[in-house]
Amino acid sequence: MTPPTAHTWSRRGHTPVVRVRGRSRRRISLAAAACYKPGEPSRLIYRPRFHMPLKGARKSFAWTDYRDPLVRSHIQLDGPIVVVWDNLNTHRAADLRKYAEGHDWLTIVQLPSYAPDLNPIEGIWSLLRRRYMANVAFENPDHLTRTLRHGLACIQRRPHLLDDCLAETGLTITTPSPTPPRKGQ
């Protein structure tokens, strides 16, 4: 519920103040996949999870919460996918690795440790915080959720923003060239 702050302006001598009503005990987590397929517009697939403030309740994503957007990406893109992940402990979970090994359409590549500059999702999070959520005093968790969904929907409708996040990493999408037939085939 604490708003991200960004630079703003005000009349000379009047410091802008953003009032916050207090902290909420509710927590929201978000998983997202930036999907790139040559010849098609880039896509953003995301999944929010709202955690209940119950004692002993999980306060983060489980491996299944990351698997589900991957399956959705596979269905929407209608083909095999290569997932490039950072080293979040849930991304390296044994169950998730076992799931990937059991599905030939899914290839997982781990980024090196401490390499957020190679992760296009970091650019999307930055864009979301700086553009759509900056300087907003959230009235309640529902207001935060609406603002979050609105920002992500705006990014979804602008594939060039997703392309820019990929370009910022210096990574490129290349399709493997077909192997020429060998003599005698």
Side-chain angles (χ1 to χ4, degrees):
M1 294 290 293
T2 304
T5 55
H7 295 285
T8 187
W9 62 272
S10 70
R11 291 190 346 242
R12 182 175 291 187
H14 292 80
T15 304
V17 177
V18 177
R19 300 202 188 282
V20 180
R21 293 183 184 208
R23 292 192 175 265
S24 169
R25 296 188 57 103
R26 289 178 55 188
R27 182 180 172 111
I28 300 171
S29 295
L30 185 68
C35 303
Y36 303 97
K37 187 174 182 181
E40 291 190 19
S42 302
R43 298 179 190 168
L44 177 66
I45 298 173
Y46 65 91
R47 178 183 181 158
R49 178 168 181 188
F50 308 98
H51 306 283
M52 300 308 291
L54 302 173
K55 193 170 191 164
R58 187 175 180 94
K59 294 180 179 162
S60 63
F61 276 147
W63 75 272
T64 54
D65 295 316
Y66 287 102
R67 177 203 58 202
D68 296 345
L70 294 176
V71 172
R72 196 164 150 203
S73 301
H74 170 60
I75 292 168
Q76 283 190 15
L77 295 173
D78 191 32
I81 61 173
V82 176
V83 180
V84 180
W85 262 339
D86 57 15
N87 285 305
L88 182 69
N89 61 352
T90 312
H91 292 167
R92 293 179 282 123
D95 290 334
L96 192 55
R97 194 171 303 137
K98 200 180 306 180
Y99 179 80
E101 289 170 1
H103 294 83
D104 59 348
W105 55 265
L106 178 60
T107 304
I108 295 179
V109 177
Q110 292 289 144
L111 285 173
S113 297
Y114 306 107
D117 52 326
L118 295 177
N119 191 348
I121 290 293
E122 295 296 335
I124 294 167
W125 295 149
S126 176
L127 188 64
L128 187 64
R129 284 190 300 271
R130 287 181 295 117
R131 185 178 286 181
Y132 301 101
M133 297 179 70
N135 297 333
V136 177
F138 300 109
E139 299 168 4
N140 53 44
D142 294 330
H143 180 217
L144 171 62
T145 303
R146 282 192 313 274
T147 304
L148 183 68
R149 286 183 187 265
H150 170 74
L152 289 167
C154 288
I155 294 170
Q156 274 183 321
R157 288 189 298 268
R158 295 172 177 84
H160 69 277
L161 293 177
L162 299 173
D163 295 337
D164 291 345
C165 290
L166 179 66
E168 187 176 307
T169 67
L171 302 174
T172 58
I173 303 295
T174 57
T175 55
S177 57
T179 56
R182 297 188 336 199
K183 289 183 181 181
Q185 286 186 347

